[in-house]
Amino acid sequence: MAAGSFEGQYVWSPAADDRALARACMDVRAGRYLSAHEVLKETRGDFEVRAHRSLVLASVAADSDLAERWLAEEPGAEAALLWARVAMLRALRMADAGDRRQGALARIARSACDRAAKELPEDPTPWVAQLALTRLDRPRDPAPQGLLTAPAGPWYLFAHILRLDAWHREAHHRFLSYFFTRYGGSSSASWDVAAFLSQRAPATSPLRLLPLVALVEDYDPTALLADRTWEQPQWITTATSIHRNWFPRVADYRFTPVLDLSYLAHALFMAKREFEAREVFTAMGPFAARMPWSAFGDPAEQLSRARRSCGLPVPHGS
């Protein structure tokens, strides 16, 4: 297949190549929850996948009454978890929209998270949902030693989650987002937290990507030479180190980590490391995530521009 052509289109579904999850999402859209129960129950021993699947399912269920109905008809750990995730998403969406109902929805979400945590105490996912809600009430726990700016935040809740799962991916990303400027934080705090969290993670961990996430979050297209930022030595070193140490591990993942691969591919492309970026794009196949591309324009156009630069095919007409 020649560069410039592409058989099909990008697949933007967050389920990616998790076929069981994709089928469960279809059932949820149709108002059925049995397959959602199955794909969540199967993850009780893999909290990373449990967090991902529950969030994707909740994003599908949030606009219907399926979560409430499931909880009423067949209560249990999985039903409680999906309800907690749905309630969390609804509260955050109302807050982002400036809706005055956000306070009531946040209280409902916290209650739902408490219930889910009691159903399966070893599961960090309900606590991660609680962590996502902290950007609404802005707790101010003192930071531990080792951070230059010592930013106050939900450190106690984060520490509790880490006792359950020390390298929980979503927990780290939720915690970092608390310090984003758009949620009431600051650039200096988010940079500090991203560096602190990534440096304590193993070199082979996807958490090493956190500074790249903060870099995209802080992107200002009006700044002088903004797009050249990724060409600075520190960011080239960061991206190539992740490519060298974490990227080879992706082949052993149960499902393709599309979002993490997208951030890595983007950073390598922006750093003009097209050879390494091409490898990452190839590993993603047709699957795509809107971030980080949407921070720079239309995500499909930005992704296609990067793929063309790396000599890879793009969907016809894009």
Side-chain angles (χ1 to χ4, degrees):
M1 185 163 55
S5 64
F6 194 90
E7 295 180 359
Q9 299 293 320
Y10 297 129
V11 179
W12 298 98
S13 168
D17 53 351
D18 186 343
R19 294 178 180 175
L21 176 59
R23 287 194 296 270
C25 287
M26 292 179 62
D27 283 348
V28 167
R29 290 189 184 95
R32 300 186 294 266
Y33 55 74
L34 178 60
S35 56
H37 177 267
E38 292 173 349
V39 298
L40 289 179
K41 187 174 182 179
E42 186 260 333
T43 63
R44 287 193 180 190
D46 189 337
F47 294 129
E48 205 67 59
V49 176
R50 188 174 179 83
H52 173 67
R53 282 182 169 179
S54 62
L55 185 60
V56 173
L57 288 167
S59 69
V60 177
D63 294 327
S64 72
D65 68 347
L66 180 134
E68 294 95 322
R69 184 160 48 82
W70 180 10
L71 192 64
E73 294 174 358
E74 296 187 28
E78 280 63 50
L81 178 59
L82 186 67
W83 167 232
R85 292 296 231 170
V86 164
M88 175 205 80
L89 286 180
R90 288 175 181 170
L92 295 178
R93 288 176 182 177
M94 286 295 105
D96 290 342
D99 194 299
R100 65 183 181 214
R101 293 171 292 175
Q102 63 172 292
L105 290 176
R107 288 190 292 273
I108 292 171
R110 291 189 183 95
S111 176
C113 290
D114 287 341
R115 176 172 178 169
K118 291 174 182 175
E119 288 279 356
L120 198 64
E122 65 270 26
D123 181 9
T125 318
W127 298 102
V128 175
Q130 288 267 31
L131 185 62
L133 295 168
T134 59
R135 67 175 170 88
L136 305 184
D137 59 358
R138 308 296 298 171
R140 307 287 291 172
D141 309 329
Q145 293 183 346
L147 289 96
L148 294 175
T149 60
W155 291 97
Y156 298 156
L157 177 55
F158 186 52
H160 175 73
I161 295 170
L162 298 190
R163 286 192 290 271
L164 295 173
D165 188 346
W167 309 116
H168 196 282
R169 182 198 174 279
E170 186 185 341
H172 282 75
H173 281 264
R174 293 289 187 185
F175 186 69
L176 174 60
S177 70
Y178 172 94
F179 298 96
F180 288 166
T181 303
R182 60 180 155 140
Y183 298 140
S186 67
S187 294
S188 59
S190 62
W191 285 115
D192 200 7
V193 170
F196 176 77
L197 296 180
S198 66
Q199 288 166 8
R200 63 185 291 275
T204 54
S205 170
L207 298 178
R208 290 284 178 146
L209 286 156
L210 289 170
L212 299 180
V213 175
L215 188 62
V216 171
E217 179 67 23
D218 209 39
Y219 173 71
D220 178 4
T222 66
L224 184 64
L225 300 177
D227 288 350
R228 303 291 295 272
T229 302
W230 286 261
E231 297 177 42
Q232 296 175 10
Q234 71 177 100
W235 298 118
I236 294 176
T237 299
T238 298
T240 55
S241 176
I242 296 167
H243 177 266
R244 182 174 63 254
N245 294 305
W246 170 70
F247 178 64
R249 300 291 186 99
V250 171
D252 299 325
Y253 276 45
R254 288 181 62 187
F255 310 109
T256 305
V258 177
L259 184 58
D260 286 337
L261 288 172
S262 293
Y263 272 98
L264 178 56
H266 172 265
L268 291 167
F269 161 68
M270 296 292 282
K272 301 193 183 304
R273 301 299 295 253
E274 283 88 355
F275 178 79
E276 292 91 339
R278 181 187 177 102
E279 290 185 329
V280 180
F281 281 129
T282 300
M284 293 169 62
F287 301 107
R290 286 179 170 77
M291 287 295 290
W293 311 105
S294 60
F296 301 83
D298 178 81
E301 292 177 2
Q302 295 295 317
L303 176 57
S304 291
R305 182 172 72 92
R307 286 179 60 93
R308 282 196 200 94
S309 179
C310 296
L312 289 171
V314 301
H316 180 69
S318 69

